[in-house]
Amino acid sequence: MPRVCLATFLMVTSFLPTINHFHMLATNALADDDIFTLDIVSRIHTDHDSIAKASSDFGHIVEAIPNGVFHPTSPADIVALIRLSISQPKPFTVVPRGQGHSARGQALAPGGIVIDMRSMGHGDHGYRANLSSDQLWVDVGGEQLWIDVLHATLEHGLAPRIWTDYLHITIGGTLSNGGIGGQAFRLGPQISNVHELDVVTGMGEMITCSPDKNTDLFFAALGGLGQFGVITRARIALEPAPKRVLWVRIAYTDVESFTRDQELLISNPSSGCGFDYIEGQVQLNRTLTEGRRSSSFFSASELDQLAKLVLDTGSTAIYYIEGAMYYNDDTASSVNQKLERLLEELNFVPGFAFVRDVSYVEFLDRVGREERKLRAAGAWDVPHPWLNLFVPRSRILNFDAGVFKGILQDAKPAGLVLMYPMNRDRWDDRMTTTTPGGEDVFYAVGLLRSAVAAGDLERLERENAAVLAFCDREGVGCRQYLPHHASRDGWRRHFGEKWGRLAALKRRYDPRGILAPGQGIFSAAGGDEAGSDSL
């Protein structure tokens, strides 16, 4: 071994004394590309703080300790890391991590390497974005936060077409899942608003893909839970950005009127005469009488008014339609009349329409403000046993009766419950994300609850299990969003008729099974060929 290489090798391995695996990687690879390999290994951090941070995610439910955390400065570094892995007789697993906002291990790599995607936003490369104002798209790195993309595009009077409720997460993270929010009824999820991707596959190949080029990888990666590659760039569709928003919440005491009005509001998504954003919430009675007496929307007196409505009507729950009308200076004079006409068509409880006039950014970043409150109260970095479901429209009333008026009727207040409809034709079935079939409308139901006290996690997990058991027993036909399944058979059932195609794509783009092992969807690295047991 040349003296300079030996010195570099000793320097690199000196900070990895407890991980013989990396010592062997560097030694085996030196004969072919010594300095290059040592440079990649030198970017793998194994200090206690790095390992601890990468061992858990937002859910704080599962823990998986990696052997190291990789800090790339460019997509080429990710290519090199993956090629280093598959060059070994027993490859190490690799998973990208943005903000780690997954709940059940999608961003974890037990015994493998976690790629800290956010490190590509630092150093010489900085913020990676390229905007085309005439063609209405922006190219952004997969590591970028949606909140940063918002501010960058607003400088040109533009914004992405579809948003999740929380913007302090990465482009690659949401596109690996789907990306849903209040605009999805008219524009589809975020994955339906992407023109092009750069993806680093499990073969260490950087592939540019789109609906017209390398289409199988494009549709597999969108909603693909990280199984087919690492998204390093996305071309996101834009539209002219409004300046202001009328932010509305209207209350219901019966689920039939609530769902009927929601479905009316999404029935003509291209008309331009209704809300630009539609979501819904369910507040169980104990949430209003015993929950936190603060809100990013309601004032204290309005919360008291809602609590009195619960007591006066004996309702098990209060339902809200949350809507938003966007406007600019040229439409400011007419937007209030437009809202009044729309509200006249709806059957909410008289006197229970609440309106706020806010900036576009203030509306979009509303959950970011709530996060700051929760952090200050010590209620953010706690376990989040979230359960997200897509429920067919024909079964939503059965779900309400069995879950909100049954299983969760006496549940303690702990977080947020979402319930709102989306149009099925705004989703592309070629993408990996699964939705209920056979109906033109389905509901997103999110039990976004937190374990803030002793015993909460176990109780919430039992309630989630009871909800899933109810859905199975009653044949509700729901699908999980941000899915978690404990067995390979569970994943087969989840993907349904897509399973065989996805298994074949896994064998093509990640045959060694090194990508995103934490969810247990396919065979792990070092075993049989990924997907070989899938057909």
Side-chain angles (χ1 to χ4, degrees):
M1 179 186 302
R3 182 172 299 177
V4 64
C5 294
L6 177 60
T8 306
F9 172 71
L10 292 175
M11 178 183 68
V12 172
T13 56
S14 67
F15 69 87
L16 301 174
T18 62
I19 306 181
N20 292 329
H21 183 60
F22 291 128
H23 180 108
M24 295 175 62
L25 291 182
T27 303
N28 291 340
L30 278 173
D32 294 327
D33 200 357
D34 47 9
I35 299 298
F36 178 73
T37 299
L38 289 173
D39 178 62
I40 294 301
V41 174
S42 72
R43 298 177 188 273
I44 299 173
H45 294 199
T46 60
D47 58 281
H48 177 270
D49 289 346
S50 295
I51 295 296
K53 182 179 179 180
S55 296
S56 185
D57 57 15
F58 178 73
H60 292 295
I61 298 170
V62 298
E63 183 176 275
I65 300 173
N67 276 344
V69 180
F70 184 61
H71 289 257
T73 59
S74 70
D77 290 342
I78 299 174
V79 170
L81 178 74
I82 290 176
R83 289 181 179 178
L84 178 60
S85 172
I86 62 176
S87 72
Q88 307 306 307
K90 185 175 181 180
F92 52 85
T93 57
V94 172
V95 65
R97 178 189 178 103
Q99 295 293 82
H101 207 260
S102 58
R104 299 280 182 172
Q106 182 179 338
L108 306 183
I113 300 297
V114 172
I115 303 173
D116 182 357
M117 297 294 290
R118 293 289 290 152
S119 66
M120 290 200 296
H122 305 149
D124 295 337
H125 291 268
Y127 182 75
R128 299 192 298 128
N130 178 40
L131 185 142
S132 172
S133 58
D134 57 336
Q135 299 183 54
L136 295 181
W137 54 255
V138 61
D139 278 340
V140 292
E143 78 282 356
Q144 301 298 330
L145 300 182
W146 284 98
I147 186 68
D148 295 332
V149 175
L150 171 63
H151 289 299
T153 55
L154 282 177
E155 293 180 4
H156 302 268
L158 301 169
R161 288 152 49 93
I162 172 73
W163 299 99
T164 56
D165 293 335
Y166 181 57
L167 305 187
H168 298 259
I169 46 181
T170 61
I171 302 295
T174 62
L175 296 185
S176 293
N177 287 282
I180 62 173
Q183 301 90 349
F185 78 96
R186 65 185 181 94
L187 297 169
Q190 287 179 327
I191 56 176
S192 292
N193 292 272
V194 179
H195 296 314
E196 191 174 271
L197 297 173
D198 282 346
V199 178
V200 181
T201 71
M203 293 294 290
E205 298 175 318
M206 172 70 77
I207 297 178
T208 298
C209 52
S210 70
D212 303 312
K213 180 180 180 180
N214 299 311
T215 56
D216 58 347
L217 180 60
F218 179 76
F219 291 117
L222 293 171
L225 304 175
Q227 293 300 308
F228 310 100
V230 179
I231 296 173
T232 60
R233 179 187 64 88
R235 179 166 292 177
I236 307 296
L238 302 177
E239 65 180 6
K243 292 183 178 180
R244 304 288 300 179
V245 175
L246 287 187
W247 182 11
V248 184
R249 287 189 183 179
I250 52 180
Y252 297 76
T253 56
D254 69 288
V255 67
E256 290 88 354
S257 296
F258 169 66
T259 55
R260 189 184 309 116
D261 280 359
Q262 280 190 314
E263 291 170 21
L264 173 66
L265 288 169
I266 73 164
S267 62
N268 192 7
S270 302
S271 68
C273 61
F275 286 125
D276 297 288
Y277 160 105
I278 298 169
E279 287 193 7
Q281 295 184 22
V282 181
Q283 283 199 292
L284 304 178
N285 53 10
R286 294 183 65 182
T287 306
L288 282 165
T289 57
E290 302 177 23
R292 293 172 59 240
R293 303 301 289 169
S294 65
S295 169
S296 60
F297 184 91
F298 292 117
S299 66
S301 62
E302 288 169 341
L303 288 173
D304 290 338
Q305 184 181 353
L306 289 164
K308 185 175 184 300
L309 178 64
V310 169
L311 296 175
D312 290 346
T313 62
S315 300
T316 303
I318 296 293
Y319 305 87
Y320 306 109
I321 291 179
E322 182 174 44
M325 279 189 177
Y326 302 156
Y327 71 96
N328 290 305
D329 294 341
D330 59 342
T331 55
S333 61
S334 61
V335 67
N336 285 293
Q337 291 80 8
K338 178 181 175 182
L339 175 61
E340 289 176 7
R341 288 194 299 270
L342 182 61
L343 293 180
E344 289 174 355
E345 300 179 25
L346 306 179
N347 294 292
F348 57 92
V349 179
F352 282 82
F354 307 91
V355 183
R356 303 286 181 267
D357 192 327
V358 298
S359 72
Y360 185 56
V361 172
E362 185 179 357
F363 172 70
L364 291 180
D365 197 30
R366 62 199 180 278
V367 180
R369 296 194 303 278
E370 187 68 18
E371 175 192 354
R372 292 189 286 274
K373 293 180 183 179
L374 292 172
R375 285 190 183 277
W380 182 262
D381 291 319
V382 298
H384 302 282
W386 289 2
L387 178 63
N388 291 273
L389 301 171
F390 290 155
V391 180
R393 172 171 60 178
S394 64
R395 302 305 302 275
I396 194 64
L397 297 183
N398 303 106
F399 184 93
D400 174 83
V403 175
F404 299 134
K405 295 181 176 66
I407 296 168
L408 302 182
Q409 180 177 1
D410 297 317
K412 294 180 180 179
L416 183 68
V417 177
L418 299 178
M419 178 175 165
Y420 59 93
M422 289 181 282
N423 291 307
R424 180 69 180 77
D425 64 2
R426 266 42 181 183
W427 293 67
D428 192 323
D429 200 47
R430 292 173 293 179
M431 297 171 183
T432 303
T433 302
T434 61
T435 60
E439 298 188 18
D440 57 353
V441 170
F442 62 89
Y443 278 75
V445 178
L447 306 182
L448 310 184
R449 303 180 296 164
S450 302
V452 297
D456 277 359
L457 178 59
E458 293 76 12
R459 175 178 58 82
L460 294 173
E461 291 279 61
R462 288 195 300 271
E463 290 173 358
N464 287 345
V467 171
L468 291 172
F470 166 82
C471 291
D472 285 344
R473 183 175 64 252
E474 299 298 321
V476 172
C478 60
R479 288 285 189 272
Q480 286 191 39
Y481 176 66
L482 308 177
H484 166 69
H485 296 280
S487 68
R488 195 72 50 78
D489 286 341
W491 285 109
R492 286 192 183 96
R493 291 192 298 272
H494 171 80
F495 288 115
E497 62 184 17
K498 294 185 179 183
W499 177 256
R501 175 172 60 87
L502 296 179
L505 290 168
K506 183 71 170 178
R507 291 194 298 271
R508 178 176 178 181
Y509 290 110
D510 184 26
R512 304 295 296 277
I514 69 170
L515 297 175
Q519 300 164 98
I521 301 175
F522 296 104
S523 299
D528 296 332
E529 186 182 65
S532 61
D533 62 343
S534 310
L535 298 173

